[in-house]
Amino acid sequence: MFKEHIGKQSNKVKNIVERGAVRKFAEAIGDLHPIFIDEETGQNSRYKRNIAPPTFPRVFDYGIIQGLNLPNKGLIHGEQTYHYERPLLVGEEITCYSVIKNYFEKKGTQGEMGFLVLESFGEDEMGKLIFSSTQTAIITEAVRKVLIG
């Protein structure tokens, strides 16, 4: 269903690690560690500023992969892993994009399920990698039927 999209990359999008967004995210996940929200703690840290929680990249815009038309509803978030070269610093601008890494199907109790594996990246202004993440979206039989039409 999506095998022809393997290897396709999205357009690159600039994102800002905005202080208010980091605070709201930390509140939403229930982790109000001072390194995320307290400016004095950030200034006194080895990074000299606040950092974002490790799962914060979930809120970034990763662009659009042409031809990949996934529905807004009905997908299941299978798993996600993050790998960091260094923390995200509050106030910095990063460039994000995604690549379709793999697509495969398995028979489940509710019918055929698709597994779409996306790899996403965040780079600093010099193009140096800050983080990467791998995410698996599960496409259920019901969603597959809608997509196939």
Side-chain angles (χ1 to χ4, degrees), residues 21-122:
V22 169
R23 175 179 277 287
K24 285 181 184 176
F25 189 86
E27 289 170 353
I29 64 171
D31 188 351
L32 295 174
H33 191 288
I35 193 65
F36 303 143
I37 59 171
D38 181 68
E39 287 188 57
E40 186 177 331
T41 299
Q43 290 168 354
N44 292 327
S45 75
R46 64 180 162 168
Y47 307 109
K48 303 299 180 211
R49 55 211 258 204
N50 296 105
I51 62 173
T55 54
F56 186 75
R58 185 77 182 109
V59 306
F60 290 147
D61 181 351
Y62 291 90
I64 296 170
I65 298 174
Q66 293 299 319
L68 182 67
N69 300 313
L70 293 174
N72 292 329
K73 294 181 181 178
L75 297 178
I76 298 171
H77 188 258
E79 76 173 324
Q80 188 158 8
T81 58
Y82 293 92
H83 173 76
Y84 278 88
E85 298 299 320
R86 66 162 175 82
L88 288 169
L89 305 174
V90 169
E92 78 177 317
E93 184 178 276
I94 64 167
T95 300
C96 297
Y97 61 97
S98 293
V99 176
I100 298 176
K101 196 77 169 168
N102 197 7
Y103 177 77
F104 57 94
E105 296 175 346
K106 289 185 179 181
K107 188 93 172 144
T109 57
Q110 303 295 315
E112 202 70 32
M113 296 189 311
F115 294 81
L116 184 66
V117 182
L118 293 166
E119 192 166 16
S120 299
F121 303 91

